[in-house]
Amino acid sequence: MSSYHQSTRGEPRVALVTCAELADLEADDRLVIGPLAARGVAADAVVWDDPAVEWSRYDLAVLRSPWDYMSRRDEFVTWAGNVPALANPADVVGWNTDKRYLDELSAAGVPTVPTSWVAPGETWVLPADRGEYVIKPAVSAGSQDTGRYDLADPEHRDLAYAHVRRLGDAGRMTMVQPYLDAVDTAGETALLFLATPDGLRFSHAIRKGPMLTGPDLGTDGLYKAEEISARDPGAEELAVAEKTLAAVPGGSERLLYARVDLIPGADGAPVLVELELTEPSLFLGYADGAPERLAEAILARLSRPV
């Protein structure tokens, strides 16, 4: 198994992994570069599929914004397995980049949004409940290829069928979930966890406003714009997040970071929407000290095994 290590070449060097469209990183991710430099760690923005990169030059590669892999996940997972020192680890990347992990977490007792799956070539059976539903691919990020449909509306039903068919024709697994209307008022809570000497610990949280207003009309760019603000999570949200992380295969102590996205369910109790362990926005700019906490987590990871 690969291990993280203190460089024998002098100053430790970390790759902050991104994609060609965001070659200079998102502004939020750049916030960690100064705190790393202050701790004697050099950081470079590096495009994941650039064939000229020598990954062995880096003491650690930290996944940040490689958000163009969705149409070539197999290539991305293979690449992850060939990086000498990757955070989060390659097996976590393989597990977490297909949202069918939700079934495993649900089986482990984590309250999750009820989800059904439509494989390529399968016929989608309309839910008996003609409420609102979200349709999206099992491999996705940034709300791309995602739509909200009112199945009581004949036009929306036609559009929903077309959405499922479009994904299936492209060889993509489709996921169908009831729309949780609490997001329209309470929003979505994203809880951010960062590694510490005592394991993964809660760092901060943010609120996302509602994003899905109707059927999928396509997205310009890599993601849809989000309405973000700082938020203090409640005890019940923290408990669900901790339960979620406890169910991660291989243990959460291997993780450098994690993001747990929750929305109140029909009874008001929080349910898991997504567990982001691969390339989540960490919203470092929304909490005092968050960039420094991530820098400390990276520094510690440089000198201990996976």
Side-chain angles (χ1 to χ4, degrees):
M1 179 181 292
S2 298
S3 61
Y4 303 111
H5 58 280
Q6 181 72 33
S7 175
T8 58
R9 301 185 296 271
E11 183 180 55
R13 185 166 293 274
V14 169
L16 301 177
V17 182
T18 185
C19 61
E21 194 166 336
L22 295 168
D24 293 325
L25 298 171
E26 289 272 271
D28 192 74
D29 285 327
R30 289 196 294 271
L31 294 175
V32 76
I33 295 175
L36 283 173
R39 290 160 174 79
V41 178
D44 300 332
V46 186
V47 174
W48 74 272
D49 59 350
D50 182 348
V53 176
E54 295 180 20
W55 294 100
S56 60
R57 293 183 56 237
Y58 293 98
D59 300 287
L60 182 63
V62 179
L63 289 164
R64 291 310 323 122
S65 49
W67 293 333
D68 62 354
Y69 75 82
M70 284 71 193
S71 63
R72 46 194 175 122
R73 172 179 172 266
D74 289 348
E75 177 186 345
F76 181 69
V77 171
T78 298
W79 165 83
N82 290 321
V83 176
L86 185 69
N88 284 326
D91 64 298
V92 172
V93 170
W95 178 76
N96 187 241
T97 48
D98 186 323
K99 291 182 176 58
R100 282 176 285 184
Y101 67 75
L102 288 170
D103 283 353
E104 293 184 43
L105 294 177
S106 179
V110 176
T112 62
V113 181
T115 306
S116 59
W117 311 92
V118 186
E122 288 186 345
T123 299
W124 178 42
V125 178
L126 198 72
D129 172 19
R130 295 294 193 267
E132 288 192 288
Y133 282 81
V134 173
I135 294 174
K136 60 184 175 181
V139 178
S140 64
S143 297
Q144 294 189 72
D145 301 307
T146 300
R148 169 183 171 184
Y149 301 89
D150 180 357
L151 299 185
D153 181 329
E155 181 181 3
H156 272 225
R157 286 201 297 273
D158 290 343
L159 291 171
Y161 274 120
H163 190 167
V164 173
R165 186 168 54 251
R166 182 169 68 251
L167 293 175
D169 289 347
R172 306 175 78 180
M173 177 70 74
T174 300
M175 55 193 298
V176 182
Q177 299 173 318
Y179 182 76
L180 301 180
D181 56 13
V183 73
D184 294 331
T185 52
E188 179 177 329
T189 301
L191 295 90
L192 288 304
F193 291 77
L194 298 174
T196 75
D198 297 320
L200 204 63
R201 294 291 181 268
F202 174 72
S203 169
H204 58 287
I206 58 95
R207 176 193 184 276
K208 290 185 186 181
M211 296 175 60
L212 298 180
T213 57
D216 175 36
L217 300 176
T219 301
D220 293 328
L222 294 172
Y223 54 86
K224 291 183 179 178
E226 298 174 321
E227 175 194 317
I228 305 296
S229 58
R231 165 169 277 179
D232 292 325
E236 195 172 10
E237 290 171 316
L238 285 165
V240 171
E242 294 285 0
K243 187 171 189 175
T244 301
L245 295 172
V248 172
S252 64
E253 67 277 359
R254 300 187 303 145
L255 304 177
L256 178 68
Y257 51 73
R259 197 182 87 201
V260 183
D261 295 346
L262 306 174
I263 294 176
D267 62 356
V271 297
L272 179 71
V273 181
E274 290 188 14
L275 171 61
E276 298 274 9
L277 305 180
T278 302
E279 26 61 28
S281 294
L282 296 177
F283 305 111
L284 300 175
Y286 290 85
D288 291 342
E292 289 74 20
R293 287 192 290 276
L294 178 57
E296 285 291 334
I298 291 171
L299 186 65
R301 188 53 53 94
L302 287 166
S303 58
R304 79 165 178 84
V306 177

